[in-house]
Amino acid sequence: MRPDDFPEIRALPLFRDMAEEGFHALMRGAYVQNFPPQVDLIREGEPSDFLHVLLDGLVELFATWNGRETLLATTRPVTTFILAATIRDAPYLMAARTMTRARVVLIPSEDVRAAFDADPAFARAIVADLAQSYRSVVKNTKDLKLRSSLERLANYLLREQRRAGAAPAFDLPFDKRRLASLLGMTPENLSRAFKSLQAYGVATDGGRIAIGDQADLERFAKPNPLIDDRST
Amino acid sequence: MRPDDFPEIRALPLFRDMAEEGFHALMRGAYVQNFPPQVDLIREGEPSDFLHVLLDGLVELFATWNGRETLLATTRPVTTFILAATIRDAPYLMAARTMTRARVVLIPSEDVRAAFDADPAFARAIVADLAQSYRSVVKNTKDLKLRSSLERLANYLLREQRRAGAAPAFDLPFDKRRLASLLGMTPENLSRAFKSLQAYGVATDGGRIAIGDQADLERFAKPNPLIDDRST
DNA sequence: GTCGAGGATTGATAAATATCAATCAATGAA
DNA sequence: TTCATTGATTGATATTTATCAATCCTCGAC
């Protein structure tokens, strides 16, 4: 592990409040790996031997069943992923694959569980992280069950816009094929959905989105913090 | 609180390993309430003042948006619910309503958070509970995104059957209107789905389900532990 | 027992979404 | 540059799912 990786990891909410000693113990067992794009990091059903921390690049989390595949989430730096499996010492429920070149820290799951027992501040951070992750998935379920695909897209755009600093134009973080899968629709349908949203002032140019009439789009999308605020 | 409520609560995985003193401190601030059927216990968006423990009866957890409503889960005794909101001190994401007469213990959220800080065994139990809840919702998301409504019903029946001790016949735990909402479909569609499953040996008589040909149904449903095993 | 009320079912139709096939456009390798 | 590959879009069609309306049960109140 490069020494300058430490501060980035240390700054994560999950590790921020750890005692110095425990953090170093964790880092001693950890190591960094570099991956090319399109590499499987994790396969569904495998034992969860490592907690992963993404330092650079993009990683997609997806699941498969009966020959079908769906995108469940994407992670951007710097974030941890698959904490729950690590804690439960249970098989991964999602697979992970690099979308770009990526640099990832692998921390042995045993060490994480040991640190949890040893450091109350770390325990608190883990609980906060899990509770937040849980709530985030519940919000996603509400999105899926209560909204049509067009409504999901409209609200997704508003969320991405907010992440981009509420600017009237922003870029999609990945291709539309993946976005379709994330939103639970086909690429063809996504194309048509974008076209339908033109009526509410949404313009697209490749992966660039421009929201012409904020109020109009929001009137249609009816965003709700209990679904769309993915931070609390 | 009736003294004979204590053992039931104490036996829950969440409280089982707590130090005696901490458990009693929690119980001192807690109180029991009895509710008639169809009473709102919790409304979406309200501050999460209490952790709830269901002692008797059935409670449904649901969510609404834009005039639509969907059932997200049901709880049976003895279980806690909405732990994540309590921990995060964040608004409830789901509403809760009694389906039958119900007896519920209310534990002030502050007390739960205090006990978390004071008792490492309780902290461990909370983490285990949250990690498990998270994984359970992820499995549900995979079910929703990867399967058709007919496939969801088939797998739901297999899960309920297993819960009923793998018997060839068992009763649905609530009415079909609710089941339809839980599975993300309309009651009309559920009726037709049951009819379609007759081809795989599923017979219904009111809320009673008989699985005539286990292997045949499983061949169609393709159950998968990474979706359908809701206990790990 | 009779009567209602609410859930369940059925049929007809509409809407949403997926599939299939055919371009079209962008991008990177040679 | 040119070609090949991959993603995006479009149109036509099929499938899935929802909606609407009309019964049909079932079960509890009286």
Side-chain angles (χ1 to χ4, degrees):
Chain A
M1 171 160 315
R2 297 199 318 231
D4 57 338
D5 289 335
F6 275 71
E8 289 185 281
I9 301 174
R10 187 63 154 146
L12 287 173
L14 192 58
F15 303 107
R16 190 181 298 153
D17 299 326
M18 280 189 89
E20 192 63 23
E21 185 186 304
F23 179 70
H24 275 277
L26 259 192
M27 290 303 106
R28 259 194 299 280
Y31 60 100
V32 178
Q33 285 208 328
N34 286 290
F35 298 98
Q38 311 300 337
V39 166
D40 284 356
L41 299 179
I42 288 171
R43 269 180 293 273
E44 253 178 295
E46 285 187 350
S48 52
D49 296 327
F50 298 96
L51 175 64
H52 293 235
V53 185
L54 180 62
L55 291 180
D56 270 313
L58 293 174
V59 169
E60 58 183 340
L61 302 175
F62 62 99
T64 56
W65 179 78
N66 194 27
R68 299 166 211 169
E69 176 175 322
T70 189
L71 184 58
L72 293 171
T74 62
T75 57
R76 63 191 75 218
V78 180
T79 33
T80 59
F81 53 97
I82 46 120
L83 178 59
T86 292
I87 291 296
R88 283 243 113 189
D89 197 9
Y92 295 125
L93 295 180
M94 317 181 196
R97 184 198 294 138
T98 57
M99 297 166 70
T100 62
R101 277 173 32 82
R103 198 155 52 96
V104 178
V105 182
L106 303 173
I107 308 175
S109 295
E110 280 179 58
D111 295 358
V112 174
R113 290 191 290 270
F116 174 87
D117 287 331
D119 188 335
F122 187 47
R124 264 192 299 277
I126 283 184
V127 163
D129 194 300
L130 284 176
Q132 143 100 358
S133 298
Y134 171 78
R135 288 171 60 84
S136 182
V137 188
V138 169
K139 287 170 184 169
N140 187 52
T141 304
K142 292 167 68 172
D143 190 47
L144 276 172
K145 290 186 75 179
L146 289 167
R147 290 173 173 162
S148 71
S149 59
L150 189 57
E151 291 164 342
R152 289 199 297 278
L153 174 60
N155 281 290
Y156 173 84
L157 294 179
L158 289 172
R159 291 198 301 273
E160 276 302 308
Q161 184 200 25
R162 197 141 70 96
R163 192 212 298 272
F170 58 93
D171 289 307
L172 296 175
F174 38 78
D175 60 34
K176 291 180 181 170
R177 210 168 39 89
R178 285 189 173 88
L179 177 57
S181 182
L182 183 67
L183 294 176
M185 56 205 289
T186 58
E188 294 95 328
N189 238 332
L190 179 63
S191 264
R192 292 173 187 123
F194 270 120
K195 194 173 282 186
S196 300
L197 288 184
Q198 286 176 7
Y200 301 95
V202 176
T204 62
D205 174 21
R208 184 139 190 100
I209 309 295
I211 293 182
D213 187 340
Q214 186 78 20
D216 202 22
L217 182 58
E218 289 186 356
R219 203 156 37 239
F220 170 72
K222 297 186 173 58
N224 182 314
L226 299 177
I227 302 179
D228 299 297
D229 184 350
R230 302 293 166 99
S231 65
T232 65
Chain B
M1 170 160 316
R2 298 198 318 230
D4 57 338
D5 288 337
F6 274 71
E8 288 185 281
I9 301 174
R10 187 62 154 145
L12 287 172
L14 193 57
F15 302 108
R16 189 181 297 153
D17 299 326
M18 279 189 90
E20 192 63 22
E21 184 186 302
F23 180 71
H24 275 277
L26 260 192
M27 290 302 106
R28 260 195 298 281
Y31 59 100
V32 177
Q33 286 210 327
N34 285 289
F35 298 98
Q38 310 301 338
V39 167
D40 284 356
L41 300 179
I42 287 171
R43 267 181 294 274
E44 250 177 297
E46 286 187 349
S48 51
D49 296 327
F50 298 96
L51 176 63
H52 293 236
V53 185
L54 180 63
L55 291 179
D56 270 313
L58 292 175
V59 169
E60 57 182 342
L61 302 175
F62 62 99
T64 57
W65 179 78
N66 195 25
R68 301 166 209 169
E69 176 176 322
T70 189
L71 184 58
L72 293 171
T74 62
T75 57
R76 62 193 74 218
V78 180
T79 32
T80 59
F81 52 97
I82 46 121
L83 178 58
T86 292
I87 290 297
R88 283 243 114 191
D89 197 8
Y92 295 125
L93 294 180
M94 319 181 195
R97 185 197 294 139
T98 58
M99 297 167 69
T100 62
R101 278 173 32 82
R103 199 154 51 95
V104 178
V105 183
L106 303 173
I107 309 176
S109 294
E110 280 178 57
D111 295 359
V112 174
R113 290 190 289 269
F116 173 86
D117 287 331
D119 187 335
F122 188 46
R124 263 192 299 278
I126 284 185
V127 163
D129 194 300
L130 284 175
Q132 143 99 359
S133 298
Y134 170 77
R135 289 171 61 84
S136 183
V137 187
V138 168
K139 287 170 184 169
N140 186 52
T141 304
K142 292 167 68 173
D143 191 47
L144 277 171
K145 290 186 73 180
L146 289 167
R147 288 172 173 163
S148 72
S149 59
L150 189 56
E151 290 164 341
R152 289 200 296 278
L153 175 59
N155 281 291
Y156 174 85
L157 294 179
L158 289 173
R159 291 198 301 273
E160 276 303 306
Q161 183 200 25
R162 196 142 71 96
R163 192 212 298 271
F170 59 93
D171 289 306
L172 296 175
F174 38 77
D175 61 33
K176 291 180 182 170
R177 213 169 36 90
R178 285 190 174 88
L179 177 56
S181 182
L182 183 68
L183 294 176
M185 56 205 289
T186 58
E188 294 95 329
N189 238 332
L190 179 63
S191 263
R192 292 173 188 124
F194 270 121
K195 193 173 281 187
S196 301
L197 288 183
Q198 286 176 7
Y200 301 97
V202 175
T204 63
D205 175 21
R208 185 141 191 96
I209 309 296
I211 294 181
D213 186 340
Q214 186 79 20
D216 203 22
L217 182 58
E218 289 186 354
R219 204 157 34 240
F220 169 73
K222 297 186 175 57
N224 181 314
L226 298 177
I227 302 179
D228 299 296
D229 184 348
R230 301 294 166 100
S231 64
T232 64

Short mmCIF file of all heavy atoms in Angstrom, two decimals, chain A residues 84 86-89 110 112-120 122-128 130, chain B residues 12-19 83 87 112-133:
data_model
loop_
_atom_site.label_atom_id
_atom_site.label_comp_id
_atom_site.label_asym_id
_atom_site.label_seq_id
_atom_site.Cartn_x
_atom_site.Cartn_y
_atom_site.Cartn_z
N ALA A 84 -21.88 -5.35 4.53
CA ALA A 84 -22.82 -6.24 5.22
C ALA A 84 -22.38 -7.69 5.15
O ALA A 84 -22.44 -8.43 6.14
CB ALA A 84 -24.23 -6.07 4.67
N THR A 86 -19.38 -8.77 4.77
CA THR A 86 -18.19 -8.88 5.62
C THR A 86 -18.58 -9.07 7.08
O THR A 86 -18.04 -9.94 7.77
CB THR A 86 -17.33 -7.61 5.48
OG1 THR A 86 -16.78 -7.58 4.16
CG2 THR A 86 -16.22 -7.58 6.51
N ILE A 87 -19.50 -8.26 7.52
CA ILE A 87 -19.92 -8.31 8.92
C ILE A 87 -20.61 -9.63 9.25
O ILE A 87 -20.35 -10.26 10.27
CB ILE A 87 -20.88 -7.14 9.23
CG1 ILE A 87 -20.12 -5.82 9.19
CG2 ILE A 87 -21.56 -7.33 10.57
CD1 ILE A 87 -19.05 -5.70 10.25
N ARG A 88 -21.49 -10.05 8.37
CA ARG A 88 -22.25 -11.28 8.60
C ARG A 88 -21.41 -12.53 8.34
O ARG A 88 -21.85 -13.63 8.64
CB ARG A 88 -23.47 -11.33 7.66
CG ARG A 88 -24.62 -10.46 8.07
CD ARG A 88 -25.83 -11.31 8.37
NE ARG A 88 -26.13 -11.22 9.78
CZ ARG A 88 -27.02 -11.99 10.41
NH1 ARG A 88 -27.70 -12.89 9.76
NH2 ARG A 88 -27.21 -11.86 11.69
N ASP A 89 -20.25 -12.34 7.70
CA ASP A 89 -19.46 -13.48 7.26
C ASP A 89 -20.32 -14.40 6.39
O ASP A 89 -20.34 -15.62 6.56
CB ASP A 89 -18.91 -14.25 8.48
CG ASP A 89 -17.76 -15.17 8.07
OD1 ASP A 89 -17.31 -15.07 6.92
OD2 ASP A 89 -17.33 -15.99 8.91
N GLU A 110 -11.88 -10.80 8.45
CA GLU A 110 -11.59 -11.13 9.85
C GLU A 110 -11.07 -9.93 10.62
O GLU A 110 -11.44 -9.69 11.77
CB GLU A 110 -10.50 -12.21 9.92
CG GLU A 110 -10.97 -13.62 9.68
CD GLU A 110 -9.76 -14.56 9.75
OE1 GLU A 110 -9.10 -14.57 10.81
OE2 GLU A 110 -9.48 -15.24 8.75
N VAL A 112 -11.58 -6.83 9.98
CA VAL A 112 -12.65 -5.85 10.18
C VAL A 112 -13.49 -6.26 11.39
O VAL A 112 -13.81 -5.43 12.24
CB VAL A 112 -13.54 -5.74 8.93
CG1 VAL A 112 -14.73 -4.83 9.18
CG2 VAL A 112 -12.72 -5.22 7.75
N ARG A 113 -13.82 -7.53 11.46
CA ARG A 113 -14.64 -7.99 12.59
C ARG A 113 -13.88 -7.85 13.90
O ARG A 113 -14.45 -7.48 14.94
CB ARG A 113 -15.10 -9.43 12.36
CG ARG A 113 -16.13 -9.55 11.23
CD ARG A 113 -16.77 -10.94 11.17
NE ARG A 113 -15.84 -11.97 10.71
CZ ARG A 113 -15.68 -12.32 9.44
NH1 ARG A 113 -16.39 -11.73 8.49
NH2 ARG A 113 -14.83 -13.26 9.11
N ALA A 114 -12.59 -8.11 13.86
CA ALA A 114 -11.78 -7.95 15.08
C ALA A 114 -11.75 -6.48 15.51
O ALA A 114 -11.91 -6.15 16.69
CB ALA A 114 -10.36 -8.47 14.85
N ALA A 115 -11.58 -5.61 14.54
CA ALA A 115 -11.53 -4.18 14.85
C ALA A 115 -12.86 -3.70 15.40
O ALA A 115 -12.92 -2.84 16.29
CB ALA A 115 -11.15 -3.39 13.61
N PHE A 116 -13.92 -4.27 14.86
CA PHE A 116 -15.24 -3.91 15.37
C PHE A 116 -15.35 -4.21 16.86
O PHE A 116 -15.86 -3.41 17.64
CB PHE A 116 -16.32 -4.69 14.61
CG PHE A 116 -17.70 -4.51 15.17
CD1 PHE A 116 -18.50 -3.45 14.76
CD2 PHE A 116 -18.21 -5.39 16.12
CE1 PHE A 116 -19.76 -3.26 15.29
CE2 PHE A 116 -19.47 -5.20 16.65
CZ PHE A 116 -20.24 -4.14 16.23
N ASP A 117 -14.84 -5.38 17.26
CA ASP A 117 -14.92 -5.78 18.67
C ASP A 117 -14.00 -4.94 19.54
O ASP A 117 -14.29 -4.71 20.72
CB ASP A 117 -14.57 -7.26 18.82
CG ASP A 117 -15.68 -8.16 18.29
OD1 ASP A 117 -16.85 -7.73 18.34
OD2 ASP A 117 -15.37 -9.28 17.83
N ALA A 118 -12.89 -4.49 18.96
CA ALA A 118 -11.89 -3.82 19.76
C ALA A 118 -12.14 -2.32 19.90
O ALA A 118 -11.74 -1.71 20.89
CB ALA A 118 -10.50 -4.05 19.16
N ASP A 119 -12.80 -1.73 18.95
CA ASP A 119 -12.87 -0.27 18.90
C ASP A 119 -14.33 0.22 18.83
O ASP A 119 -14.97 0.14 17.78
CB ASP A 119 -12.09 0.22 17.67
CG ASP A 119 -11.95 1.73 17.64
OD1 ASP A 119 -12.80 2.43 18.25
OD2 ASP A 119 -11.00 2.22 17.01
N PRO A 120 -14.83 0.75 19.93
CA PRO A 120 -16.22 1.20 19.97
C PRO A 120 -16.53 2.29 18.94
O PRO A 120 -17.63 2.33 18.39
CB PRO A 120 -16.38 1.77 21.38
CG PRO A 120 -15.28 1.14 22.17
CD PRO A 120 -14.15 0.92 21.23
N PHE A 122 -15.22 2.57 16.00
CA PHE A 122 -15.36 1.87 14.73
C PHE A 122 -16.72 1.16 14.68
O PHE A 122 -17.40 1.17 13.65
CB PHE A 122 -14.22 0.88 14.55
CG PHE A 122 -14.16 0.22 13.20
CD1 PHE A 122 -14.28 0.96 12.03
CD2 PHE A 122 -13.96 -1.15 13.09
CE1 PHE A 122 -14.21 0.35 10.78
CE2 PHE A 122 -13.89 -1.77 11.84
CZ PHE A 122 -14.02 -1.02 10.68
N ALA A 123 -17.09 0.57 15.80
CA ALA A 123 -18.39 -0.11 15.87
C ALA A 123 -19.52 0.87 15.55
O ALA A 123 -20.43 0.55 14.79
CB ALA A 123 -18.59 -0.73 17.25
N ARG A 124 -19.44 2.05 16.14
CA ARG A 124 -20.46 3.06 15.87
C ARG A 124 -20.50 3.42 14.39
O ARG A 124 -21.57 3.57 13.79
CB ARG A 124 -20.19 4.32 16.70
CG ARG A 124 -20.98 4.40 18.00
CD ARG A 124 -20.89 5.79 18.60
NE ARG A 124 -19.52 6.14 18.93
CZ ARG A 124 -18.90 5.77 20.06
NH1 ARG A 124 -19.54 5.04 20.95
NH2 ARG A 124 -17.65 6.11 20.28
N ALA A 125 -19.32 3.57 13.80
CA ALA A 125 -19.26 3.95 12.38
C ALA A 125 -19.84 2.86 11.50
O ALA A 125 -20.52 3.14 10.51
CB ALA A 125 -17.82 4.24 11.98
N ILE A 126 -19.58 1.61 11.86
CA ILE A 126 -20.12 0.50 11.08
C ILE A 126 -21.64 0.48 11.16
O ILE A 126 -22.34 0.30 10.16
CB ILE A 126 -19.52 -0.84 11.56
CG1 ILE A 126 -18.10 -0.97 11.02
CG2 ILE A 126 -20.38 -2.01 11.11
CD1 ILE A 126 -17.44 -2.29 11.33
N VAL A 127 -22.14 0.68 12.36
CA VAL A 127 -23.59 0.70 12.53
C VAL A 127 -24.21 1.85 11.73
O VAL A 127 -25.23 1.67 11.05
CB VAL A 127 -23.96 0.83 14.02
CG1 VAL A 127 -25.40 1.28 14.16
CG2 VAL A 127 -23.75 -0.50 14.70
N ALA A 128 -23.60 3.00 11.77
CA ALA A 128 -24.12 4.14 11.02
C ALA A 128 -24.12 3.82 9.52
O ALA A 128 -25.09 4.08 8.81
CB ALA A 128 -23.28 5.38 11.29
N LEU A 130 -24.16 0.82 8.04
CA LEU A 130 -25.14 -0.21 7.72
C LEU A 130 -26.56 0.34 7.74
O LEU A 130 -27.37 0.02 6.86
CB LEU A 130 -25.04 -1.38 8.70
CG LEU A 130 -23.87 -2.34 8.50
CD1 LEU A 130 -23.87 -3.37 9.63
CD2 LEU A 130 -23.96 -3.05 7.16
N LEU B 12 -35.14 -12.48 22.24
CA LEU B 12 -34.85 -12.03 20.88
C LEU B 12 -33.34 -11.92 20.65
O LEU B 12 -32.62 -11.50 21.55
CB LEU B 12 -35.49 -10.66 20.62
CG LEU B 12 -37.00 -10.63 20.46
CD1 LEU B 12 -37.50 -9.18 20.40
CD2 LEU B 12 -37.41 -11.37 19.20
N PRO B 13 -32.90 -12.27 19.45
CA PRO B 13 -31.46 -12.17 19.16
C PRO B 13 -30.90 -10.79 19.49
O PRO B 13 -29.76 -10.67 19.93
CB PRO B 13 -31.41 -12.42 17.65
CG PRO B 13 -32.61 -13.21 17.34
CD PRO B 13 -33.66 -12.81 18.33
N LEU B 14 -31.73 -9.78 19.31
CA LEU B 14 -31.26 -8.42 19.54
C LEU B 14 -30.90 -8.16 21.01
O LEU B 14 -29.98 -7.39 21.33
CB LEU B 14 -32.32 -7.41 19.08
CG LEU B 14 -31.90 -5.95 18.95
CD1 LEU B 14 -30.73 -5.79 18.01
CD2 LEU B 14 -33.08 -5.11 18.49
N PHE B 15 -31.64 -8.81 21.91
CA PHE B 15 -31.45 -8.52 23.34
C PHE B 15 -30.80 -9.67 24.11
O PHE B 15 -30.42 -9.52 25.27
CB PHE B 15 -32.81 -8.19 23.98
CG PHE B 15 -33.51 -7.04 23.34
CD1 PHE B 15 -34.65 -7.23 22.56
CD2 PHE B 15 -33.04 -5.73 23.51
CE1 PHE B 15 -35.29 -6.17 21.96
CE2 PHE B 15 -33.68 -4.66 22.91
CZ PHE B 15 -34.81 -4.88 22.13
N ARG B 16 -30.68 -10.80 23.47
CA ARG B 16 -30.29 -12.03 24.14
C ARG B 16 -28.97 -11.90 24.90
O ARG B 16 -28.84 -12.38 26.02
CB ARG B 16 -30.19 -13.16 23.10
CG ARG B 16 -30.01 -14.54 23.67
CD ARG B 16 -29.91 -15.53 22.52
NE ARG B 16 -31.16 -15.55 21.73
CZ ARG B 16 -31.22 -15.88 20.44
NH1 ARG B 16 -30.13 -16.20 19.78
NH2 ARG B 16 -32.37 -15.89 19.81
N ASP B 17 -28.01 -11.24 24.27
CA ASP B 17 -26.68 -11.21 24.84
C ASP B 17 -26.37 -9.95 25.65
O ASP B 17 -25.24 -9.74 26.08
CB ASP B 17 -25.63 -11.35 23.72
CG ASP B 17 -25.79 -12.67 22.97
OD1 ASP B 17 -26.15 -13.67 23.63
OD2 ASP B 17 -25.56 -12.69 21.75
N MET B 18 -27.39 -9.14 25.83
CA MET B 18 -27.17 -7.91 26.61
C MET B 18 -26.82 -8.24 28.07
O MET B 18 -27.27 -9.25 28.62
CB MET B 18 -28.44 -7.06 26.66
CG MET B 18 -28.68 -6.22 25.44
SD MET B 18 -30.06 -5.07 25.73
CE MET B 18 -29.16 -3.66 26.40
N ALA B 19 -26.04 -7.35 28.69
CA ALA B 19 -25.81 -7.45 30.13
C ALA B 19 -27.15 -7.22 30.84
O ALA B 19 -27.98 -6.44 30.39
CB ALA B 19 -24.78 -6.43 30.57
N LEU B 83 -35.55 -0.61 13.19
CA LEU B 83 -34.32 -0.39 13.94
C LEU B 83 -33.42 0.65 13.27
O LEU B 83 -32.82 1.49 13.95
CB LEU B 83 -33.58 -1.72 14.08
CG LEU B 83 -32.22 -1.69 14.79
CD1 LEU B 83 -32.36 -1.15 16.21
CD2 LEU B 83 -31.60 -3.07 14.81
N ILE B 87 -31.65 3.95 14.96
CA ILE B 87 -30.20 4.11 15.08
C ILE B 87 -29.72 5.41 14.44
O ILE B 87 -28.92 6.14 15.00
CB ILE B 87 -29.48 2.91 14.41
CG1 ILE B 87 -29.70 1.64 15.23
CG2 ILE B 87 -28.00 3.18 14.25
CD1 ILE B 87 -29.13 1.70 16.63
N VAL B 112 -32.20 3.26 23.34
CA VAL B 112 -31.55 2.24 22.51
C VAL B 112 -30.16 2.70 22.12
O VAL B 112 -29.18 1.94 22.22
CB VAL B 112 -32.38 1.95 21.24
CG1 VAL B 112 -31.64 0.99 20.32
CG2 VAL B 112 -33.73 1.37 21.63
N ARG B 113 -30.06 3.96 21.73
CA ARG B 113 -28.74 4.47 21.34
C ARG B 113 -27.78 4.50 22.53
O ARG B 113 -26.59 4.19 22.39
CB ARG B 113 -28.89 5.86 20.69
CG ARG B 113 -29.56 5.80 19.32
CD ARG B 113 -29.46 7.13 18.59
NE ARG B 113 -30.30 8.16 19.19
CZ ARG B 113 -31.56 8.41 18.84
NH1 ARG B 113 -32.14 7.69 17.88
NH2 ARG B 113 -32.25 9.35 19.43
N ALA B 114 -28.31 4.83 23.69
CA ALA B 114 -27.47 4.84 24.89
C ALA B 114 -26.97 3.42 25.20
O ALA B 114 -25.80 3.21 25.52
CB ALA B 114 -28.23 5.42 26.07
N ALA B 115 -27.88 2.47 25.10
CA ALA B 115 -27.52 1.08 25.39
C ALA B 115 -26.49 0.57 24.38
O ALA B 115 -25.59 -0.20 24.73
CB ALA B 115 -28.77 0.19 25.36
N PHE B 116 -26.64 1.03 23.16
CA PHE B 116 -25.66 0.65 22.14
C PHE B 116 -24.26 1.08 22.55
O PHE B 116 -23.29 0.31 22.43
CB PHE B 116 -26.02 1.28 20.80
CG PHE B 116 -24.99 1.07 19.74
CD1 PHE B 116 -24.99 -0.08 18.96
CD2 PHE B 116 -23.99 2.01 19.53
CE1 PHE B 116 -24.03 -0.28 18.00
CE2 PHE B 116 -23.02 1.81 18.56
CZ PHE B 116 -23.04 0.66 17.79
N ASP B 117 -24.16 2.31 23.07
CA ASP B 117 -22.85 2.82 23.46
C ASP B 117 -22.31 2.13 24.71
O ASP B 117 -21.10 2.00 24.88
CB ASP B 117 -22.93 4.34 23.72
CG ASP B 117 -23.06 5.11 22.41
OD1 ASP B 117 -22.57 4.61 21.38
OD2 ASP B 117 -23.67 6.19 22.42
N ALA B 118 -23.21 1.69 25.56
CA ALA B 118 -22.79 1.17 26.86
C ALA B 118 -22.46 -0.32 26.82
O ALA B 118 -21.65 -0.81 27.61
CB ALA B 118 -23.88 1.43 27.89
N ASP B 119 -23.09 -1.04 25.91
CA ASP B 119 -23.00 -2.50 25.97
C ASP B 119 -22.51 -3.08 24.64
O ASP B 119 -23.23 -3.14 23.66
CB ASP B 119 -24.41 -3.06 26.30
CG ASP B 119 -24.37 -4.56 26.56
OD1 ASP B 119 -23.46 -5.24 26.05
OD2 ASP B 119 -25.28 -5.04 27.26
N PRO B 120 -21.26 -3.54 24.61
CA PRO B 120 -20.68 -4.08 23.36
C PRO B 120 -21.45 -5.27 22.81
O PRO B 120 -21.56 -5.43 21.59
CB PRO B 120 -19.28 -4.52 23.79
CG PRO B 120 -18.99 -3.76 25.03
CD PRO B 120 -20.31 -3.56 25.72
N ALA B 121 -22.00 -6.08 23.69
CA ALA B 121 -22.76 -7.24 23.22
C ALA B 121 -24.02 -6.78 22.48
O ALA B 121 -24.39 -7.34 21.44
CB ALA B 121 -23.15 -8.14 24.40
N PHE B 122 -24.65 -5.75 23.00
CA PHE B 122 -25.83 -5.19 22.33
C PHE B 122 -25.42 -4.57 21.00
O PHE B 122 -26.13 -4.72 19.99
CB PHE B 122 -26.48 -4.14 23.25
CG PHE B 122 -27.80 -3.63 22.75
CD1 PHE B 122 -28.79 -4.48 22.28
CD2 PHE B 122 -28.07 -2.26 22.77
CE1 PHE B 122 -30.01 -3.99 21.82
CE2 PHE B 122 -29.28 -1.76 22.32
CZ PHE B 122 -30.26 -2.63 21.84
N ALA B 123 -24.28 -3.90 21.00
CA ALA B 123 -23.79 -3.30 19.75
C ALA B 123 -23.60 -4.37 18.68
O ALA B 123 -24.00 -4.20 17.53
CB ALA B 123 -22.47 -2.56 20.00
N ARG B 124 -23.01 -5.47 19.08
CA ARG B 124 -22.81 -6.57 18.13
C ARG B 124 -24.15 -7.07 17.59
O ARG B 124 -24.30 -7.34 16.41
CB ARG B 124 -22.06 -7.73 18.79
CG ARG B 124 -20.56 -7.74 18.53
CD ARG B 124 -19.94 -9.05 18.97
NE ARG B 124 -20.10 -9.30 20.39
CZ ARG B 124 -19.31 -8.78 21.32
NH1 ARG B 124 -18.31 -7.99 20.97
NH2 ARG B 124 -19.51 -9.04 22.60
N ALA B 125 -25.12 -7.20 18.50
CA ALA B 125 -26.43 -7.70 18.08
C ALA B 125 -27.11 -6.74 17.12
O ALA B 125 -27.76 -7.16 16.16
CB ALA B 125 -27.31 -7.94 19.30
N ILE B 126 -26.96 -5.47 17.37
CA ILE B 126 -27.55 -4.47 16.47
C ILE B 126 -26.91 -4.53 15.10
O ILE B 126 -27.59 -4.50 14.07
CB ILE B 126 -27.41 -3.05 17.08
CG1 ILE B 126 -28.44 -2.88 18.19
CG2 ILE B 126 -27.57 -1.98 16.01
CD1 ILE B 126 -28.48 -1.50 18.79
N VAL B 127 -25.60 -4.65 15.07
CA VAL B 127 -24.90 -4.75 13.79
C VAL B 127 -25.36 -5.99 13.04
O VAL B 127 -25.62 -5.95 11.83
CB VAL B 127 -23.38 -4.77 14.00
CG1 VAL B 127 -22.69 -5.28 12.76
CG2 VAL B 127 -22.89 -3.38 14.34
N ALA B 128 -25.47 -7.10 13.74
CA ALA B 128 -25.91 -8.33 13.09
C ALA B 128 -27.31 -8.15 12.52
O ALA B 128 -27.60 -8.54 11.38
CB ALA B 128 -25.88 -9.49 14.08
N ASP B 129 -28.18 -7.54 13.29
CA ASP B 129 -29.56 -7.32 12.87
C ASP B 129 -29.61 -6.41 11.64
O ASP B 129 -30.30 -6.72 10.65
CB ASP B 129 -30.35 -6.70 14.03
CG ASP B 129 -31.85 -6.76 13.80
OD1 ASP B 129 -32.30 -6.19 12.80
OD2 ASP B 129 -32.56 -7.36 14.63
N LEU B 130 -28.87 -5.32 11.67
CA LEU B 130 -28.88 -4.38 10.54
C LEU B 130 -28.30 -5.02 9.28
O LEU B 130 -28.85 -4.85 8.18
CB LEU B 130 -28.08 -3.13 10.89
CG LEU B 130 -28.74 -2.12 11.81
CD1 LEU B 130 -27.77 -1.00 12.15
CD2 LEU B 130 -30.00 -1.55 11.17
N ALA B 131 -27.20 -5.75 9.45
CA ALA B 131 -26.57 -6.37 8.29
C ALA B 131 -27.55 -7.37 7.66
O ALA B 131 -27.70 -7.46 6.44
CB ALA B 131 -25.27 -7.07 8.68
N GLN B 132 -28.23 -8.09 8.51
CA GLN B 132 -29.21 -9.07 8.05
C GLN B 132 -30.40 -8.38 7.36
O GLN B 132 -30.85 -8.81 6.29
CB GLN B 132 -29.68 -9.87 9.27
CG GLN B 132 -31.12 -10.24 9.28
CD GLN B 132 -31.30 -11.68 8.83
OE1 GLN B 132 -30.34 -12.37 8.49
NE2 GLN B 132 -32.53 -12.12 8.84
N SER B 133 -30.88 -7.30 7.94
CA SER B 133 -31.98 -6.55 7.33
C SER B 133 -31.57 -6.03 5.97
O SER B 133 -32.32 -6.10 4.99
CB SER B 133 -32.38 -5.38 8.22
OG SER B 133 -32.86 -5.85 9.46
#
